[in-house]
Every structure is written in structure tokens, then in C-alpha cells.
Amino acid sequence: MDFQKVVDGIGAMTCVISVEKLKNGGYGKIRIVTGNRAYLDSIEHPQPGTEMLTTEFIPNSEYTRYLTRDLNFEDFCYRAAVEKKCLHSYVHPERINVWFNMTFLPLVPDDGDLCYCTYTMEINFEASAERMSNVSGELASAVLETSLKLRGARDFRAAMGSVIRDIRELCQAKYCCILLMDTQRETCSVLCEDMAEDSTLQPAGSLNDASFYAVAASWEDTISGSNCLIVKNEQDMEVVRERNPIWHHSITSAGGKTIALFPLKSSDSLLGYIWATNFDADKAGRIKETLELTSFVLSSEIANYLLLRQLRVLSAKDLLTGVNNRNEMNECVAALSEGTAGAGRPVGVVYADLNGLKAVNDAEGHAAGDRLLRDAAAALREVFAEGEIFRAGGDEFTMIVPGADEALLAQRAEALREAEKRAGVSFAIGCSAVPDGRQIQQALYSADEHMYEDKRRFYAAHPEQNRRSR
């Protein structure tokens, strides 16, 4: 067959690829035999941002001369050339900031153990929604269902639990998970996971510690510039062993045989990964198509969730001390007094007013006063849970302790006296408890009175301090 005549008859960028078929059902060398003028120009005269490893085309060279080894590309070449399938994909590889609209068509006849296919590509610098949505009805329905579940969800995490179960069942995998990555704090956390009843794999939730972040951080290099990693047999797993021996050992030791790993990104920022393990290798193509589109949708939803969570934290936190702010305190009090959270349950209130802040501000400046406030918050954290501490304003802190009675509050106040010594701060403290959370306003008033009695005692003993008017 005159391959040059074949590609020259096609207007889009097209080349002919040969795949060496091995006796064991695997494949050997994959070469770019020849290409039309448009394809050769993509190598020799690339558009900005689409450069390959070399600008010199040499006929019948291995494809790795031009781009980093890519298991997904090899899989498509094998299925088109050896299995004689017509394939299409629309992808955004990590190594190049463009979208590739790719078509693979089988060629006949074979030349002994050499099988051939054409590879035609179109480059888009912006994602095409029309091409992304050109999927099977079954997949489109599944992705639409995922979107509807998440958009209508009051509990995002619960909805994601349902979504990941659907994805695992659609992929017919033994295990599926979404792992969130915080690259600034270098931590990771499991957003959701689902495991088949007969699975013996270890859930990622049990691996969620400081050392696991290093493993997850290594996945970017393992994917090696592609848009995902699909491991469907021992030959693919050997590539993982070469690129990431530590992860390879972890996978195989846990009984992992097949892996589909997709990064979740928003505006080029890594959010985390979705992966499926121990799926049917014969369904690798379907799984890739499913997760490519699903991960695109999930990235957008997860990015919105993380943004809202961050805004929620910012709106609830005092920026100087890091404890909850007055708005969050008001919401807590309202929830208790209106009976939605406090009905029939005791609650305790502790007021802690920082002594001497004005004197420090006047003598040493506001920077020193800010340090004193941060030290005060640190002392409070030694005694109270993070969700119990509120900066009510200025130098005033309020602790709301569900389930506490007067005896428990007295123990906490005593512990706070020890903590303030270690922190080098001094509090005026007042405590009060009520048997029903709906009476919290009474506890707030009583604790406030006790706190001012303690403050009067402090200033009586330290007249040199600048006393504030009440």
C-alpha cells in the first residue's frame, strides 16, 4: 500500500502509524511511518504552545521521538491497528495547553506482525463543548444525572458519595475514589469513595496521612504529560514500575491490577484525583471515555464546593486570631435559643476578657497588642475545642460549651488559669450554665456579670493598668 498517497488524500493533519504485534497479545514498537504536509508542519513548524520534542521528522521513527511516552496514545494505536477498530477521542493533555480532536482508522492489509492505522488530529486552543458532548447516549445520561445530583444537593459530600458509587458501577470497578489535594498545606483528604462488597482492596481513607500526600503528589509525574493514566495489563503496570516504583509496590501489594487515574483541575489548578481500581480491562476504552467527561464536570462542581467552603470559613473566622467571629457566635446562639440545636440539652457559657490590652497598645503599639490577642487565642485553644471559641469583639472572647454544667465550667476555668500563665496573658473570666440550650441568653447575661466582677477584682489589684469603662 502506498501510505504516502493515503495521507496526501486527506486534508487534515494525518499520519500512518505502525504497531508491532507480539505473540503474547501485547505490542512492541509503535512508529510514525509517514505523514501528509499538514502533519509534518505540526512537527517541523509548530504553532506556539504545540511544540514536540523535536522539529525534525524522520520517517518510520518511534513516536517517542516526538512526544513523551503516552499509554493512552499507545492503547488507541493498538486497538485501531491490531484490533481494527475505528476510534475517536477529544482530549486535553497536560503537557500541551490545547485540545486534540483525534480519529484513528484501521488500515489493511497487515504486513506480517506489523499492523497499520491512520491518525488524524485537529488542534483547538479552546475547548469545544460540541465535541465534548459527542458521546454515547448512555454516557451522556450518566453525566447529566451526576450534574443534577450535585446541583440539587443540600449535602454536597453525601451527594458525592452517591455519584462515586454510580461511577464505580458504571466502570464495573472494585473500588473508586476522589481524593482532594491541598498543595499549599501539602495534605490530602478523601472526598468520597465506594467499594464493591467482594473487594479486598484497601480504602484510600485508611491511607490518609502525611506520608500519603507524597505518594499522591508523585502521580503527576507518573501520568507524564497525558490527560490520564489507564493501566489495564502487566505491560502497562511495568511502565508504572519504571516511573514510580514506590507507588507500583503499594498498588501491587494491595492487590491492584488495573488502574484508571484522572487529575481534577480547575483553571490549571490541581484539585485532586479520581481513580478506579480493578476494573475489567476489556472495558478500558469505555472507562476512559466515562471518566474523561465525568472528571471535567466534577472538577467544576468540586471547585465551586471548595470556593464556597473557603468563603464560609473566611466569613466565620476572625482573621487576626483564627477563632470563630461574632457573626458565627450569633448564629450559634440563635440556633440554641430557637430550639433547633439546644432543646432539652444543657449548655455552658464562659466569658474571657483579656486584661491589659489597652495598656499594651498604648505602651508598645498595636502590633504588640495583636500578638497578645493571638497568644490569648492560643491559651483558649488549650482548654476549649475550636468550634467552642468565639471572638465577640475587641479583647472579649466567648466560649459556648454544649452539654456543660457548672462543675465542668469550673474545671475549664481552672484549666484556663493554668493556660494563661503559659501563654503570658491574663483573663477576666465569668461562667454560667443552664439546663436547656433555649435559655442561653440567660447564661450569656450571667456569665457577663461574673466576668465583670472578676475584671473589677483584677483592676483593684493592678491599679497601674488603664481600666476601661464598662
Side-chain angles (χ1 to χ4, degrees):
M1 179 181 293
D2 189 339
F3 293 131
Q4 193 61 52
K5 184 177 291 186
V6 170
V7 295
D8 286 343
I10 301 174
M13 292 178 282
T14 303
C15 66
V16 170
I17 292 177
S18 69
V19 178
E20 183 183 5
K21 180 174 61 176
L22 302 180
K23 303 298 183 183
N24 61 3
Y27 58 87
K29 304 294 185 182
I30 297 178
R31 295 181 171 88
I32 299 178
V33 179
T34 189
N36 63 10
R37 186 67 259 168
Y39 183 81
L40 298 188
D41 282 343
S42 72
I43 296 175
E44 297 173 348
H45 308 288
Q47 298 181 60
T50 66
E51 294 86 355
M52 297 191 186
L53 299 178
T54 180
T55 57
E56 180 186 12
F57 178 76
I58 299 178
N60 216 39
S61 297
E62 290 187 54
Y63 86 94
T64 50
R65 172 180 173 81
Y66 310 102
L67 67 148
T68 306
R69 187 176 182 186
D70 189 322
L71 294 180
N72 300 315
F73 181 77
E74 292 182 6
D75 178 62
F76 270 69
C77 292
Y78 176 84
R79 287 193 287 151
V82 178
E83 298 180 354
K84 305 303 179 187
K85 295 180 179 179
C86 300
L87 303 172
H88 172 262
S89 186
Y90 190 68
V91 300
H92 178 269
E94 295 300 318
R95 61 178 170 269
I96 303 178
N97 192 27
V98 296
W99 289 81
F100 284 96
N101 185 27
M102 305 183 299
T103 300
F104 296 78
L105 297 176
L107 292 175
V108 293
D110 297 337
D111 183 10
D113 292 331
L114 285 181
C115 305
Y116 298 91
C117 69
T118 61
Y119 165 50
T120 301
M121 68 176 182
E122 176 189 62
I123 297 176
N124 298 147
F125 286 90
E126 298 290 339
S128 169
E130 179 181 357
R131 290 189 172 91
M132 291 184 68
S133 61
N134 185 23
V135 296
S136 67
E138 180 186 14
L139 176 55
S141 176
V143 173
L144 178 60
E145 183 178 354
T146 295
S147 299
L148 292 176
K149 280 185 177 181
L150 296 178
R151 286 300 168 93
R154 293 185 178 180
D155 187 333
F156 182 79
R157 283 183 172 270
M160 284 300 304
S162 175
V163 166
I164 204 67
R165 181 166 55 252
D166 293 343
I167 293 174
R168 185 190 64 77
E169 292 174 352
L170 191 63
C171 295
Q172 296 182 12
K174 295 298 183 182
Y175 176 77
C176 198
C177 170
I178 291 180
L179 187 79
L180 298 182
M181 303 280 290
D182 188 330
T183 54
Q184 291 185 334
R185 294 184 176 88
E186 295 190 349
T187 59
C188 55
S189 60
V190 174
L191 175 62
C192 54
E193 60 184 341
D194 190 67
M195 182 177 293
E197 292 183 0
D198 60 346
S199 175
T200 59
L201 295 169
Q202 187 177 14
S206 64
L207 301 175
N208 190 19
D209 57 22
S211 62
F212 191 61
Y213 177 84
V215 174
S218 70
W219 292 342
E220 184 174 6
D221 290 336
T222 308
I223 292 174
S224 192
S226 185
N227 71 321
C228 66
L229 177 71
I230 305 290
V231 177
K232 60 188 180 304
N233 52 39
E234 291 183 2
Q235 184 174 1
D236 294 343
M237 192 65 81
E238 181 62 20
V239 175
V240 175
R241 188 191 66 78
E242 294 172 358
R243 293 178 179 174
N244 196 334
I246 295 176
W247 186 42
H248 173 271
H249 176 74
S250 175
I251 295 168
T252 54
S253 298
K257 297 179 180 178
T258 57
I259 308 164
L261 179 68
F262 282 75
L264 298 170
K265 289 196 169 186
S266 176
S267 301
D268 294 328
S269 296
L270 180 65
L271 304 175
Y273 290 89
I274 178 172
W275 84 79
T277 308
N278 285 11
F279 53 82
D280 186 348
D282 293 335
K283 296 180 173 59
R286 176 191 179 191
I287 290 170
K288 181 176 185 295
E289 183 183 36
T290 299
L291 293 184
E292 274 178 342
L293 186 55
T294 304
S295 62
F296 186 81
V297 173
L298 290 179
S299 294
S300 176
E301 295 292 343
I302 291 172
N304 288 337
Y305 163 72
L306 294 176
L307 176 60
L308 290 174
R309 189 175 70 173
Q310 183 179 21
L311 292 174
R312 177 73 178 86
V313 170
L314 290 174
S315 68
K317 294 293 183 182
D318 172 61
L319 297 182
L320 176 62
T321 62
V323 302
N324 297 308
N325 62 18
R326 181 61 181 254
N327 290 335
E328 193 71 0
M329 173 183 160
N330 291 339
E331 289 190 14
C332 179
V333 170
L336 290 167
S337 62
E338 293 168 7
T340 56
R345 296 185 60 206
V347 66
V349 172
V350 178
Y351 272 136
D353 192 292
L354 183 60
N355 291 320
L357 178 62
K358 186 177 187 302
V360 171
N361 282 333
D362 291 346
E364 302 178 46
H366 288 286
D370 288 347
R371 285 195 297 271
L372 191 65
L373 284 166
R374 285 192 288 267
D375 291 341
L380 294 171
R381 286 191 179 95
E382 287 190 33
V383 181
F384 299 93
E386 191 74 27
E388 297 173 344
I389 310 171
F390 304 87
R391 185 182 178 194
D395 51 9
E396 300 173 2
F397 294 88
T398 304
M399 278 61 68
I400 299 176
V401 187
D405 57 14
E406 295 287 356
L408 177 60
L409 293 185
Q411 293 174 7
R412 294 285 187 94
E414 184 178 352
L416 183 56
R417 289 301 184 198
E418 296 300 319
E420 67 178 1
K421 294 176 184 177
R422 292 189 290 272
V425 299
S426 171
F427 289 113
I429 300 173
C431 305
S432 180
V434 289
D436 191 301
R438 290 171 292 187
Q439 300 170 320
I440 189 172
Q441 293 289 354
Q442 177 183 329
L444 288 167
Y445 179 82
S446 180
D448 184 55
E449 288 293 314
H450 294 324
M451 183 270 290
Y452 272 103
E453 290 174 7
D454 191 39
K455 184 167 283 289
R456 281 192 288 270
R457 287 192 292 269
F458 172 81
Y459 282 117
H462 302 86
E464 74 280 2
Q465 298 282 358
N466 289 321
R467 182 173 182 175
R468 300 174 308 155
S469 61
R470 182 170 181 180

